[in-house]
Amino acid sequence: MGTEWWDVEELDELPVLLELIKVKKTYVIGKRKLEVIRDVSFKMYDGEFIAILGPSGCGKSTLLRIIAGLEKPTSGQILFMNKPIEGISPRIAMVFQSPALLPWLTALENVSLVLEARGMDKKTSMEIARRYLSLVGLAGFENSYPRELSGGMKQRVSIARALAVSPQLLLLDEAFSQLDPLTAESLRSEILDLWRMGVAGIRGIILVTHAVDEAVFMTDRIIVLSSRPTTVVKEVVIDLPRPRNRRSKRFLEILDEVYEYIS
Amino acid sequence: MQMVIMVSIEIWIYAIEATIFTNIRLFLAYMISLVFSLTVGIAAALNERLGKIIIPILDILQSVPILGFFPVAIYLLVAVFPDRIGVELASIFLIFTSQAWNITFGVYQSALTIPSEFKDLAKAYGIKGLKYVTRIVIPSTFHSLIYNSMMAWAGGWFFVTACEMISMGEFNIVLPGLGSFILMSAYKGDFYKLAIGLVMMLTSIILVNLLIWNPLLEKAEEYREVARSITSPTITVVSTSFLIDFLSAIYSKIDDRLHQLISKIPRETWNRILSKAMLILKMIMVGVIIAVVFLGVFCISKAFPTIIEFFFSMNFTLYLYNALTGTALTLFRIIVAYIISVGWILAVCILVENRSKLFAYSIIIGEVLASIPATIWYPAFIILIEKYGVDPNIASILIILTGMQWYIFFNVMGGVKGIPLHFRQVARLYNIRGRLYVSKIILPGILPFLVTGSISGWGGAWNTTILAEYITTGKDVIYIHGIGGLISRAANLGDVGGLFFYIMWMSIFIVLFNKLIWSRLYKVISEKYLAEL
Ligand SMILES: Nc1ncnc2c1ncn2[C@@H]1O[C@H](COP(=O)(O)OP(=O)(O)O)[C@@H](O)[C@H]1O
Ligand SMILES: [Mg+2]
């Protein structure tokens, strides 16, 4: 039958892009069981940029990997546009914690590879890859190898790669945590710019982070997770206009509020 | 005067020809090894079920003394093909068997341990099938592939010389090549020709290293690109980037063509072709098995009376006695050679581990020395033993050493390189030096590699005993009692029963030895030390 995202029942709200229902994850390592995610449910609306915030090791990456289809939840369901996710969805792209660039391919080839994997011919995929590289400010570095790029540039290639496949949902796993503060800050504002301009038809972004400040600065809503085994502690809506001022009273208030939930 | 020059030019031309022949043999064998290793290693790593079948088979093949089977291979191939072609095929087959298993294990291991981030990447972006293999798996195995190829090439020299001069009972054949050129000159005592031969050999070894292995290894280091190595440990003597460019251009051409070809075929047809191919493959396998069984039954039934007669004529008590005493003596020699190898290799390794230039040079020197086949020392040993009364055991141990130490050397050196940079930095920071530094940082770092190298080294040693315990230059023969010598002697005297018995004995002994000792040791050590890295 298949319902489409626009004919949702609750019309009092925006259409739901992604919904997690009672997601649980327990790893079994030999005889030991490691309960990582106890119970996580939340909704994400169309056009939203949300953050998943939690202490290190609480299972944020695991949750994101489940959403990306890289891992199966032990129980629970994930609906993307009201349909259960089965395996990898071509409409969801992920930027990993490490850039995960193949050292034997140039920046351009790293991006075009994922397009070729989707059946695009070599020439077109090269063209598109070039476009996205220049979008993230890497024009002129197409033929550089990852080892010749700085940490920030590598992460940019990784972002270009995710954007190039025109995803509807973009997942960022601590995309800025391994960068120096200045590079991280400029990459943050670039992501926000891309988001505002509505590049590549992205309809939602999930940013996983353990940095409260980053979450409040960038996103519309924060899902605060407890430490392991993780549950949702609180959802905090950030009703600040963009660009945001980190010194504003309201910003600091929200920051304090979130810090309270996390500790 | 003119005559002398004429002759000498002829010798040079002849030597060059011989060099080319030998290198072609090596090249062909290596190419077959390469294709075999990549397909079998990757298939075993990507398909768990295949891996469960392939790996134990390779394990046994690796521990079997190849040189011992060489006479068998010759008997079979010469029976099917004309003499020269049969022997050529046998020699290529022998070199292949000396190279393929090591490279395959390396490929398998590194394909199995592809970084999880690359696996995630492939999964998340749907990079699969052939694309996954050509863009992610093969490049991931590249470092191990090149490193092991380098070792295999050196080992190839060892074996190519062993099979260019064959004498088995009545059957004597000399293949034109550098190995036979060197050996014949040595036996004839023609030192001028011997010198030319050695020069040609060293030149081609060094050239191949500088022009091919070294640049490839450098590239491979770049592919590994992790923060765990000495900075830039290879040296560039000549710029050979054109070769790399050329090879990678060919690689991506083939890759593209393959994909074009595959993408032209619609998915359904493709699936149908695949399942058909699998079916045909299965049928062929079943067919081959049935054919082999039938042939075996036919041959045995035909030859049954002869076999029975043969079986009863075999002097089992003598064979058994020989095998038992021989194995004990051989084991003793190998242990001595092993102690010597580990001693000097650890010393070198501690000396160069923190000096990247010296490290790179020692690799090249090792590569050249490793390529020098033990057999060229035969004439010298014979003189030493017969004229100067040197204990033949010493000669035997020295030859075993040449067939053993380099596996250990290259593995340990690879391990040294793998010691994470931050370990060293921590050591420097806290002033950990001397004995403490060696025992707490260097030794634990290389121990798993020492064990891997030891396994290969012992395999090499068993194999080498076949050459080391039966030193012959055609007319002079020195037999040194041991299981390897027994095999050689049986082959030389045409004692088929003995040959068969000793080879089986040795193979089973080695397999058991590996299972009981090395496998366990490897498990313990790798669990204890490898996880930390
Ligand atoms: N494949 C796995 N097998 C077993 N345990 C895992 C696996 N992946 C993650 N874990 C464990 O789950 C916990 C959460 O990991 P992760 O999701 O990476 O945390 P975070 O991203 O929040 O720092 C950690 O304790 C980690 O050891
Ligand atoms: Mg994480």
Side-chain angles (χ1 to χ4, degrees), chain B residues 417-442:
Chain B
K417 231 172 173 176
I419 295 174
L421 197 57
H422 56 264
F423 281 20
R424 289 169 216 271
Q425 284 163 348
V426 166
R428 199 159 346 128
L429 207 58
Y430 294 104
N431 206 18
I432 303 171
R433 275 189 300 190
R435 191 162 344 130
L436 198 62
Y437 177 66
V438 171
S439 67
K440 292 282 181 256
I441 294 185
I442 300 301

Side-chain angles (χ1 to χ4, degrees), chain B residues 14-15 17-26 70 74 77-78 82-95 159-167 171-185:
Chain B
Y14 187 65
E17 234 175 60
T19 311
I20 292 171
F21 270 125
T22 300
N23 274 298
I24 287 175
R25 253 171 233 133
L26 276 172
F70 188 48
I74 291 179
L77 285 166
V78 170
D83 280 15
R84 170 78 195 275
I85 295 175
V87 178
E88 286 284 6
L89 287 178
S91 77
I92 287 175
F93 174 73
L94 178 77
I95 301 167
F159 285 97
V160 81
T161 45
C163 55
E164 279 175 359
M165 270 186 85
I166 293 149
S167 68
F171 187 78
N172 281 294
I173 196 158
V174 177
L175 294 177
L178 205 49
S180 54
F181 181 88
I182 289 172
L183 288 185
M184 297 243 275
S185 320

Side-chain angles (χ1 to χ4, degrees), chain B residues 280-293:
Chain B
I280 291 172
L281 214 65
K282 273 182 201 155
M283 269 159 43
I284 289 176
M285 251 155 72
V286 171
V288 166
I289 290 170
I290 292 174
V292 166
V293 169

Side-chain angles (χ1 to χ4, degrees), chain A:
Chain A
M1 207 180 66
T3 42
E4 292 297 332
W5 59 269
W6 52 80
D7 37 65
V8 278
E9 285 166 48
E10 311 164 52
L11 281 174
D12 54 324
E13 288 186 24
L14 284 162
V16 176
L17 186 67
L18 182 81
E19 183 171 4
L20 273 71
I21 308 164
K22 291 190 176 307
V23 170
K24 297 185 205 309
K25 180 79 190 182
T26 303
Y27 284 111
V28 183
I29 312 152
K31 284 186 188 129
R32 227 157 40 85
K33 280 190 177 174
L34 182 69
E35 188 183 13
V36 178
I37 299 170
R38 173 160 288 172
D39 183 5
V40 169
S41 307
F42 65 81
K43 280 182 189 168
M44 177 185 181
Y45 301 101
D46 201 356
E48 232 188 345
F49 184 170
I50 68 166
I52 294 178
L53 179 72
S56 276
C58 78
K60 304 181 297 292
S61 294
T62 307
L63 192 61
L64 209 60
R65 288 164 56 80
I66 290 174
I67 296 171
L70 287 172
E71 236 158 296
K72 282 204 164 56
T74 311
S75 69
Q77 215 181 10
I78 296 134
L79 303 177
F80 179 58
M81 296 178 161
N82 285 338
K83 279 179 220 152
I85 288 186
E86 286 155 10
I88 309 289
S89 164
R91 299 171 180 200
I92 301 177
M94 182 155 170
V95 174
F96 300 95
Q97 205 160 347
S98 68
L101 300 181
L102 299 170
W104 42 86
L105 300 182
T106 61
L108 187 68
E109 288 167 337
N110 261 294
V111 177
S112 72
L113 174 63
V114 298
L115 295 169
E116 282 177 54
R118 302 215 160 164
M120 202 177 276
D121 70 89
K122 194 161 187 162
K123 221 173 128 214
T124 327
S125 57
M126 289 280 190
E127 261 165 41
I128 295 178
R130 202 177 291 279
R131 209 158 66 223
Y132 279 97
L133 277 180
S134 64
L135 191 69
V136 296
L138 284 180
F141 290 95
E142 290 86 355
N143 296 322
S144 307
Y145 284 90
R147 64 177 173 281
E148 298 158 352
L149 301 174
S150 68
M153 290 159 117
K154 279 190 224 176
Q155 200 56 287
R156 282 195 168 91
V157 177
S158 179
I159 290 166
R161 179 172 63 191
L163 295 177
V165 297
S166 315
Q168 287 170 323
L169 176 60
L170 181 64
L171 310 175
L172 303 174
D173 189 358
E174 305 208 13
F176 316 106
S177 70
Q178 291 186 353
L179 304 175
D180 65 276
L182 282 177
T183 313
E185 193 54 29
S186 65
L187 205 54
R188 276 184 207 115
S189 33
E190 275 170 49
I191 293 272
L192 283 173
D193 286 346
L194 291 174
W195 173 237
R196 251 209 324 245
M197 294 185 316
V199 171
I202 295 174
R203 296 163 63 166
I205 303 182
I206 303 181
L207 170 69
V208 153
T209 179
H210 60 250
V212 179
D213 170 83
E214 181 176 287
V216 177
F217 181 67
M218 292 185 80
T219 65
D220 303 323
R221 192 155 55 99
I222 303 178
I223 317 259
V224 184
L225 299 182
S226 70
S227 57
R228 204 181 64 211
T230 203
T231 52
V232 177
V233 175
K234 183 77 185 175
E235 293 186 19
V236 182
V237 176
I238 301 156
D239 47 3
L240 291 172
R242 290 193 179 95
R244 289 172 184 167
N245 179 359
R246 282 198 163 92
R247 306 252 174 96
S248 77
K249 197 160 154 269
R250 183 81 190 110
F251 190 96
L252 294 172
E253 274 170 19
I254 297 176
L255 209 60
D256 281 345
E257 188 192 341
V258 177
Y259 265 118
E260 225 147 83
Y261 295 124
I262 211 169
S263 51

